[in-house]
Amino acid sequence: MVMWSLLRWKTKIASAVPPLLRPRSFRSDAALEAIAKASEDKVPNLVLYNYPSFSGAFSALFARQFHSALNLPCLILPFSSVEPLRVEDLSMEGLERCYLLDFLGPRGYAEEITRRASCNVIGFDHRQSVLPHIPSREDCPQNLTLHVNVEKSSSTAVYEYFSAKVADIKHSDGAVVSLLEPQDRDRVEMVLKYIEHIDLRRWSLPDIRAFSIGLKEWRSKFNCLTNPYLFEQLLVMKSPELIAKGNSYISARQKAAEKLLNKVFKVRLGRGFYGDCL
């Protein structure tokens, strides 16, 4: 009787919490609806990217650029370990390729997709922690390709992968296909360098910590379902602006600390018998 009352009390509390205060699900209705629509349209390419990850978001950008340049239908969705998409969710009719960008999923996740969806799975990751989970060459399915390089961030690896794929492709009118426009390339590649130093814990580029601080506010914006302009925003992102924002934050915190230090006073404990403290 006590347990039943406790369960009813918990249910009432949960129902009383406003929707905006409840934990947000990343296996959302919007994601499942997008998958169902892609299955109806027999979209052959599915891209899942690590969220909220800088490398994951930029990797998704490069996948988007590649498929857009070649007019290939593609569904791009964020993947979060908070409530991940299940393998059975990905049973899309007509699915030929599934990309896992900046993550490989829980143990056996990629292998299970190859079995259930019968598609090619291509995964990218740079974390040391995934190495024990990689299947041996003998156990790896033929339709599973994993790119794991602990010396290179996932976003850089994905950028090089799709850049190489479009290098020898030309449009019917003879125009060369490019992953990025010339005016965007240098700017995006500089941002990638900074992200790689953060991912690999190198921290040796100038103002790298300020860059990291300036980039943090973007974490909540890396969901392409709730932020439909994500990829356009990433294309125009500039490292000097992120560094300036980070430096501004650092300066503001330092000034606040100095004001606090100016208010420091000495307290005598037990009229000085037990010493002093600030």
Side-chain angles (χ1 to χ4, degrees):
M1 184 67 180
V2 174
M3 276 300 291
W4 174 245
S5 299
L6 180 61
L7 288 173
R8 290 183 62 187
W9 176 76
K10 286 184 176 180
T11 303
K12 288 180 180 179
I13 292 296
S15 61
V17 176
L20 291 178
L21 299 182
R22 295 176 190 169
R24 182 170 54 180
S25 169
F26 292 95
R27 183 177 174 267
S28 62
D29 291 340
L32 297 178
E33 288 170 6
I35 292 173
K37 180 66 167 59
S39 183
E40 291 178 7
D41 298 338
K42 298 184 178 179
V43 174
N45 301 292
L46 172 64
V47 174
L48 303 179
Y49 67 93
N50 191 13
Y51 173 89
S53 158
F54 307 132
S55 263
F58 273 92
S59 296
L61 166 66
F62 302 136
R64 198 283 297 258
Q65 293 294 105
F66 171 77
H67 290 89
S68 296
L70 301 181
N71 294 317
L72 299 174
C74 175
L75 173 63
I76 302 177
L77 294 174
F79 180 97
S80 173
S81 58
V82 174
E83 189 176 357
L85 290 165
R86 302 166 189 167
V87 173
E88 54 266 30
D89 294 333
L90 309 179
S91 298
M92 292 167 46
E93 187 173 352
L95 182 62
E96 298 175 8
R97 279 169 297 279
C98 177
Y99 296 92
L100 309 179
L101 305 184
D102 193 41
F103 79 101
L104 300 182
R107 183 188 291 272
Y109 187 79
E111 297 95 303
E112 187 65 18
I113 295 176
T114 64
R115 287 192 289 269
R116 290 213 183 189
S118 299
C119 65
N120 292 311
V121 176
I122 305 163
F124 294 82
D125 207 331
H126 61 261
R127 297 166 182 82
Q128 292 270 2
S129 59
V130 306
L131 294 178
H133 302 162
I134 297 176
S136 63
R137 188 179 298 271
E138 295 76 17
D139 297 332
C140 187
Q142 291 185 347
N143 54 340
L144 174 62
T145 304
L146 301 178
H147 300 267
V148 179
N149 187 342
V150 296
E151 298 297 326
K152 182 182 296 185
S153 71
S154 301
S155 51
T156 299
V158 172
Y159 175 61
E160 293 176 353
Y161 174 83
F162 284 118
S163 294
K165 275 188 163 295
V166 301
D168 299 324
I169 299 176
K170 292 184 178 180
H171 287 295
S172 56
D173 58 2
V176 178
V177 179
S178 178
L179 198 65
L180 296 173
E181 295 296 332
Q183 65 269 21
D184 297 329
R185 189 175 298 117
D186 290 345
R187 182 177 62 253
V188 172
E189 289 179 354
M190 181 55 67
V191 173
L192 284 185
K193 287 181 181 179
Y194 274 90
I195 290 176
E196 182 167 77
H197 273 242
I198 295 172
D199 282 345
L200 304 182
R201 307 293 192 270
R202 289 176 179 163
W203 303 101
S204 59
L205 286 178
D207 298 308
I208 181 66
R209 295 192 181 278
F211 176 91
S212 177
I213 293 172
L215 196 60
K216 280 184 178 179
E217 71 172 34
W218 277 90
R219 283 191 183 276
S220 62
K221 303 176 184 178
F222 284 159
N223 187 335
C224 65
L225 291 175
T226 57
N227 179 13
Y229 305 106
L230 169 64
F231 301 123
E232 288 75 13
Q233 292 167 344
L234 294 179
L235 272 177
V236 299
M237 186 176 287
K238 300 175 182 178
S239 53
E241 291 182 357
L242 294 171
I243 291 170
K245 185 171 293 185
N247 281 329
S248 175
Y249 176 85
I250 293 171
S251 177
R253 299 300 293 174
Q254 287 176 337
K255 290 179 180 178
E258 290 170 0
K259 287 182 179 180
L260 184 61
L261 289 174
N262 290 333
K263 298 179 180 179
V264 170
F265 56 92
K266 185 183 292 186
V267 176
R268 301 184 67 190
L269 303 177
R271 296 184 178 180
F273 183 77
Y274 297 106
D276 303 329
C277 70
L278 295 178

